[in-house]
Amino acid sequence: INAMKHRLAALDARIVNQWLSDDDISEALSANDILVAPYREASQSGVVAAALGAELPVIATPVGGLPEQVGGGVGVVAESPSGPAIARAIRPLATDRAIVAAMAERIRATAPARSMRVFLPQVVDAACS
């Protein structure tokens, strides 16, 4: 990271490499426009769910259940979990505010479908079938 500090600074990037408290996460979500979840393996992500709850579009990698979490126009799934693929997924959102705004609107519009009021009956129905 030290070798790339000047490049990261030019992007106005901030690297935080530590455990985050709930308050830290809330602050980070409110201070940013998108969330990048560069997982190499995952089932699903609580951080992605928190970002969607904060109306942040998400860029995720195509691992585990992340594509399902980010599908439906609320984010972008990179082609692979590689650095270049993630960069290609980030570029359109980083250069076109209208894309970010449209995704944030889609998140707001589809929020009820991701609620516990919808999810819990689906689980009960599936468990009782």
Side-chain angles (χ1 to χ4, degrees):
I1 292 180
N2 284 336
M4 292 185 272
K5 277 188 178 180
H6 69 282
R7 293 177 71 192
L8 292 168
L11 295 170
D12 197 25
R14 189 179 93 186
I15 305 297
V16 179
N17 189 14
Q18 65 187 35
W19 288 102
L20 301 176
S21 69
D22 289 345
D23 288 341
D24 293 334
I25 292 169
S26 178
E27 180 183 317
L29 292 174
S30 65
N32 290 283
D33 298 317
I34 63 171
L35 177 106
V36 179
Y39 296 108
R40 292 185 180 185
E41 60 180 62
S43 55
Q44 288 194 332
S45 171
V47 174
V48 168
L52 294 174
E55 300 178 359
L56 289 182
V58 175
I59 297 169
T61 51
V63 298
L66 297 182
E68 287 82 6
Q69 274 189 290
V70 178
V74 300
V76 175
V77 179
E79 299 165 7
S80 74
S82 71
I86 295 166
R88 284 190 298 276
I90 291 171
R91 187 167 288 117
L93 279 74
T95 58
D96 189 341
R97 303 282 310 153
I99 294 172
V100 175
M103 286 184 176
E105 178 56 37
R106 178 77 177 145
I107 293 166
R108 281 188 290 283
T110 60
R114 289 187 301 278
S115 74
M116 287 304 291
R117 289 174 203 231
V118 171
F119 177 73
L120 185 57
Q122 291 173 345
V123 171
V124 171
D125 288 347
C128 296
S129 298

